[in-house]
Amino acid sequence: MTVQHTADIKDQLRLLMAEQTRLLDLLIHELAQKNFDDAEIDEIANTVLLMLQSMGVSVHSILRLTDTVDMAIKDCFGIARTVSEMSINVAYIVSSDVEVARRAKLHALQKQFRDLKRSGAIDGMEIQIRRSVIPKTSDVPDLEKALTTFTNKKGQEIRDWTPLSLDQRITKVGSLNKRAVTSLFGSKFAIYRHSSELLHGTYFGVLYFWTSPSGERLNREGFEETWIQIHLVTLFTAVFFGIIGAIESCASRFELTQFSDPIRDLTSRALKIVDASEN
């Protein structure tokens, strides 16, 4: 692969991510402006709105960090992981009945309240963070229900917002849109392994960016080729197909048929670029 060809692949992948954010913005606009006759559908839409906006913000961060070919791409893997998982959560919420959206909101409510007073201890040392004013639980609507929902029998916080694993959530999306399942699973598969190593601060997580897949130390030319053919393609796959899965799910649930052609066009172009990067 020539230097010019790899540069073209980089530009095309980043351009496609930027174009996808505009489609995401259009979806956000549609959901924000639309008044659904069904109150439960309206509640589900309002629940995922901020999540969709957050995904767009993360993509813009990735675009800034991949403007030049350097080690900043390492930090993009954690960001891409949040996009992938949030895409899965959005698709899961819109594929489910309203109780799942309500559970997500209860989880957020009790998290916000518990953050007003937190403590931890290790090796005889204790740290406590406390706000000067903490409201009574009875003064905050739904807070007592939220705390009860996310407290186990031992009185400990239940940290996960849903008992379902990521794969189980993706499977649930299949009841609404089978294509979205393929996109979401591809997104998770692309990013989860290596982003986990980075986020957990392992030696492998760093070595992954300094060496070739066979473990050899990379020179500048090898680094640039690996940066585009492996790292950028991995990021793109996780982010692009995660967001496509979320948009597909929203379009199906909220009957937004105008998204079908743009989704098809973006996906077709993405697959061609990824295929070209392997040659």
Side-chain angles (χ1 to χ4, degrees), residues 5 30 41 80 106 135 159 168 178 243-244:
H5 183 48
E30 286 289 330
I41 294 293
L106 289 176
R159 300 185 183 280
Q168 289 171 328
K178 291 291 186 183
I243 293 176
I244 282 292

Side-chain angles (χ1 to χ4, degrees), residues 164-229:
L164 298 187
S165 68
L166 284 174
D167 286 348
Q168 289 171 328
R169 284 171 244 171
I170 294 172
T171 300
K172 169 62 180 175
V173 175
S175 63
L176 177 69
N177 189 305
K178 291 291 186 183
R179 292 189 305 275
V181 171
T182 302
S183 298
L184 294 168
F185 182 64
S187 170
K188 172 182 175 285
F189 187 80
I191 200 67
Y192 206 87
R193 172 180 169 85
H194 295 96
S195 64
S196 291
E197 297 293 336
L198 277 166
L199 292 170
H200 292 303
T202 69
Y203 176 63
F204 170 77
V206 176
L207 194 67
Y208 177 67
F209 290 90
W210 287 107
T211 60
S212 70
S214 60
E216 299 172 347
R217 190 66 177 264
L218 295 170
N219 57 23
R220 181 62 194 181
E221 181 181 351
F223 173 76
E224 291 184 0
E225 186 171 318
T226 301
W227 190 98
I228 294 170
Q229 288 185 270

